[in-house]
Amino acid sequence: MTARYTIRHELTFTYESAATRSVITLFLAPARNLNQLVRSFSLRTDPGGAIFSFTGSYGNRGHFFDRPSPHHELHIHALSNVDVVSQPPLSKSLDALSWAALESAICTPQQWLMLQPSHFARPSSAMLKRFMNEFGIEKGSTPLNSIRDLKAALRAAFVYAPGSTSAQSPIDHILESGRGVCQDYTHVMISILRSWGIPSRYVSGYLGSDSNAVGHNESHAWVECWLPDAGWFGVDPVNDDDCDERHIRVAIGRDYGDVPPVRGVFTGALNSKLATHVEVVRQELN
């Protein structure tokens, strides 16, 4: 199935006193790949000025700008039009893939990198081990069964609660409270999968609706796992789903710290507030 989306993502920084300079990096442009056709992408700011694109780590498409004149607010407007195709079904041979076969197939630097601890995904966390023991989370008979069972277990163990954590929260917050958002679910799942020897990476993007309608009013995050004969494929622990045409991919990394939608520094102002608005509108194609 293919879906067409129009995505509006607006961000507004409001400064306590005039900022004399704002330097911003963005990861807002949908990725171009075999499952996504980016029909258009535009980015503008107020105050206006030049915006530069770059290719960052892991092949992500980013944007950068510098606004050196005094301003009390900074507005960023991104508009995307993208077609997304569902990922192909996984090979039935993966049902029988053994742990030993997975271990022997891991051979590239990126696969090995996505097995290592990162800032927000730490398999060695003592609280994570207690959480796994409490909920009976352990390796299954095969890697694929373990992935599927884990995303179902996290959906059952946690309550999705916007505002309960921040983008910078360690996994200990959701493990202790049982409440979090998509970044938290994703970081916990990545941490556990890496401890089991399954290469896993963080995906930032958007979640569209199931039909012709306005989708979720926020960014989304999920996990991509690597298995032989499948490559990288997405799973969504918040919704206990495999990724499909609703999942609009923007960027990948080890965790949120590699690919935040916006990151910046400013001078001249004491404090700032960030307000965001996201609108995802879907049009069915077939």
Side-chain angles (χ1 to χ4, degrees):
M1 179 179 288
T2 302
R4 175 166 292 174
Y5 295 98
T6 297
I7 306 163
R8 292 178 175 84
H9 195 151
E10 301 179 356
L11 306 100
T12 300
F13 286 95
T14 302
Y15 303 106
E16 187 177 73
S17 58
T20 56
R21 186 172 198 171
S22 296
V23 181
I24 304 293
T25 300
L26 303 166
F27 288 104
L28 297 177
R32 297 183 172 100
N33 55 41
L34 293 176
N35 297 99
Q36 290 190 176
L37 172 64
V38 180
R39 297 164 53 237
S40 65
F41 175 76
S42 63
L43 188 62
R44 61 184 177 86
T45 69
D46 181 15
I51 300 174
F52 305 94
S53 63
F54 64 92
T55 301
S57 303
Y58 318 111
N60 296 315
R61 181 187 179 197
H63 291 83
F64 164 86
F65 65 84
D66 182 358
R67 298 293 177 263
S69 58
H71 50 279
H72 284 87
E73 290 188 337
L74 173 63
H75 303 275
I76 302 167
H77 308 265
L79 178 63
S80 307
N81 290 281
V82 58
D83 295 347
V84 183
V85 181
S86 292
Q87 64 184 21
L90 296 175
S91 169
K92 293 187 180 299
S93 65
L94 293 177
D95 290 330
L97 177 73
S98 69
W99 289 101
L102 169 61
E103 183 178 3
S104 65
I106 296 171
C107 59
T108 70
Q110 188 178 88
Q111 291 160 7
W112 284 109
L113 178 63
M114 297 303 174
L115 285 172
Q116 309 309 312
S118 57
H119 182 73
F120 291 107
R122 297 190 170 277
S124 60
S125 163
M127 189 170 289
L128 180 63
K129 293 177 181 177
R130 290 197 296 270
F131 167 80
M132 293 171 66
N133 289 334
E134 179 182 351
F135 287 90
I137 296 173
E138 56 186 17
K139 270 179 155 184
S141 57
T142 69
L144 184 57
N145 285 342
S146 300
I147 293 169
R148 289 171 170 165
D149 290 346
L150 176 58
K151 66 183 173 68
L154 297 184
R155 172 67 182 270
F158 298 142
V159 174
Y160 184 79
S164 57
T165 60
S166 72
Q168 303 298 322
S169 295
I171 60 173
D172 288 0
H173 286 197
I174 188 173
L175 295 175
E176 184 174 19
S177 69
R179 301 168 63 84
V181 294
C182 55
Q183 292 95 335
D184 304 302
Y185 286 66
T186 299
H187 287 146
V188 172
M189 187 168 188
I190 288 173
S191 299
I192 295 173
L193 291 178
R194 287 178 183 170
S195 74
W196 290 344
I198 300 175
S200 304
R201 62 192 186 189
Y202 182 98
V203 187
S204 68
Y206 304 98
L207 183 65
S209 62
D210 292 315
S211 59
N212 295 358
V214 176
H216 287 210
N217 296 322
E218 57 190 12
S219 299
H220 195 52
W222 58 91
V223 181
E224 281 188 348
C225 310
W226 184 87
L227 294 179
D229 298 328
W232 295 98
F233 62 94
V235 293
D236 184 346
V238 170
N239 296 295
D240 188 17
D241 278 335
D242 293 337
C243 291
D244 53 27
E245 79 284 350
R246 296 170 300 160
H247 294 78
I248 307 157
R249 185 211 238 210
V250 170
I252 59 170
R254 295 166 299 175
D255 57 36
Y256 173 87
D258 286 336
V259 286
V262 58
R263 173 186 285 138
V265 295
F266 58 89
T267 59
L270 294 177
N271 294 295
S272 69
K273 293 181 180 180
L274 173 62
T276 65
H277 175 76
V278 176
E279 182 181 274
V280 182
V281 180
R282 172 171 174 162
Q283 174 188 349
E284 207 70 49
L285 294 182
N286 55 52

